[in-house]
Amino acid sequence: MDFKQLQSFITVVKYGSFTKAAEVLYSSQPTISSHIRNLEDELATRLLVRTTKSLTITPRGMEFYEWAVNTMESRDLLLRRWSDDTKRIIRLGTSTIPSAYILPEILPAFGEKNPNVYFIMNQSDSQGVIDGLLQGNFDIGFTGMSADNELLECIPFYEDRMVIITPVNEHFLSCQSAETPDLTAIMHEPVILREKGSGSKKSADYFIESLGLSENDLNIIARINDQESIKNLVAGGLGISIISEKAAQDLQHEKRILVFQLPENTARRQLYIVYHRDYIYRDYMKTFIEYVKNFYASDRA
């Protein structure tokens, strides 16, 4: 059994045709047929039932197909990792806030000192980043929540704050001018929330619970993954939201939104750099990890 045989089998199943598989793989139909026949002989089982009019995959063939796809994906991932090592590339998985507001500060500064290191960045929610690290899709991750997995090292590197943002209108200006704004009353306004896999959503849930409220008590009008869309919708008067103070700064400075500070015990949250405990990282990756750990160290002191 070899990779060419696996690729032939996968392609035949994918397209449902030996002829099409041969065309896609730039091979001949007899070669494809030989690959399938050799697999069936080695496995001592029928994988495909072929007639003049149809092609059917057997139950064992489907089981083998799933294994073959996973095997080829693992091979491709390994080859990409080794190729990336020679090119000094770091594959980053990052949640929304680090991607949009933190890494644009860190990466250019790191790049000035390490011009031969390059980054491939993939954005997801925090849970998606953690899952991607465990699946081997990323070398290093940045999340808004801790990774509860013994395989991963999760180090806080930046302290963020959560705030309520509202449209700019007389009602909310009046709320803001109060000596102690009534945050509970504000939370009964129409609310836009993040998706459930995000660290921002987890922090917002903690604040909502501290008010003695649940999502069932709120007037949730939308759940949106994109932080910038949430900000613009709030600025347009659609509702309020709970987001990162770092993310709110630009529209706050432009006076397009109002910002309400949360109580100290619910406002603070950590952003984390996450990586595998037992991976043997290249020196340039270790250098980047240490650089991130120390980048905001003076802010935490």
Side-chain angles (χ1 to χ4, degrees), residues 70-258:
N70 289 333
T71 299
M72 295 300 288
E73 288 178 348
S74 296
R75 182 205 67 168
D76 293 343
L77 177 61
L78 180 65
L79 293 177
R80 286 199 304 271
R81 286 181 62 87
W82 287 355
S83 174
D84 289 350
D85 284 344
T86 61
K87 298 176 182 177
R88 300 174 70 86
I89 293 174
I90 303 176
R91 297 168 305 143
L92 302 180
T94 172
S95 63
T96 304
I97 299 303
S99 172
Y101 308 104
I102 303 298
L103 290 177
E105 296 178 351
I106 294 177
L107 297 187
F110 180 82
E112 289 183 3
K113 298 180 179 180
N114 302 271
N116 294 324
V117 177
Y118 298 88
F119 297 93
I120 298 174
M121 191 160 65
N122 296 273
Q123 183 176 315
S124 179
D125 57 38
S126 291
Q127 189 59 55
V129 172
I130 292 168
D131 292 342
L133 283 166
L134 293 172
Q135 293 164 6
N137 297 328
F138 312 133
D139 300 309
I140 299 168
F142 293 88
T143 66
M145 65 184 188
S146 181
D148 185 19
N149 190 296
E150 63 182 10
L151 297 177
L152 300 178
E153 189 74 36
C154 193
I155 306 295
F157 74 97
Y158 180 82
E159 184 175 84
D160 195 13
R161 294 178 63 91
M162 300 299 291
V163 295
I164 296 175
I165 61 171
T166 75
V168 178
N169 59 37
E170 291 184 3
H171 170 61
F172 290 114
L173 285 169
S174 176
C175 293
Q176 194 175 60
S177 65
E179 184 175 344
T180 304
D182 188 344
L183 301 183
T184 302
I186 292 175
M187 288 307 302
H188 282 95
E189 299 283 343
V191 182
I192 304 169
L193 293 179
R194 287 286 305 278
E195 77 284 2
K196 292 185 177 181
S198 74
S200 295
K201 175 63 168 56
K202 188 174 182 180
S203 297
D205 287 344
Y206 180 59
F207 165 67
I208 292 167
E209 290 170 6
S210 75
L211 297 178
L213 301 174
S214 70
E215 285 197 359
N216 292 332
D217 300 313
L218 305 180
N219 178 16
I220 301 172
I221 58 173
R223 295 183 186 274
I224 299 176
N225 295 348
D226 182 64
Q227 192 90 2
E228 291 299 309
S229 295
I230 291 175
K231 289 159 52 179
N232 287 322
L233 289 172
V234 170
L238 185 64
I240 69 165
S241 190
I242 304 171
I243 69 169
S244 159
E245 184 175 48
K246 187 83 169 176
Q249 287 177 347
D250 55 348
L251 294 196
Q252 182 185 19
H253 291 158
E254 295 171 11
K255 297 187 177 181
R256 294 177 57 198
I257 59 173
L258 298 177

Side-chain angles (χ1 to χ4, degrees), residues 41 55 144 157 172 233 241 273 291-293 299:
D41 289 344
L55 180 69
F157 74 97
F172 290 114
L233 289 172
S241 190
I273 180 171
Y291 187 84
V292 172
K293 288 179 181 178
D299 296 341

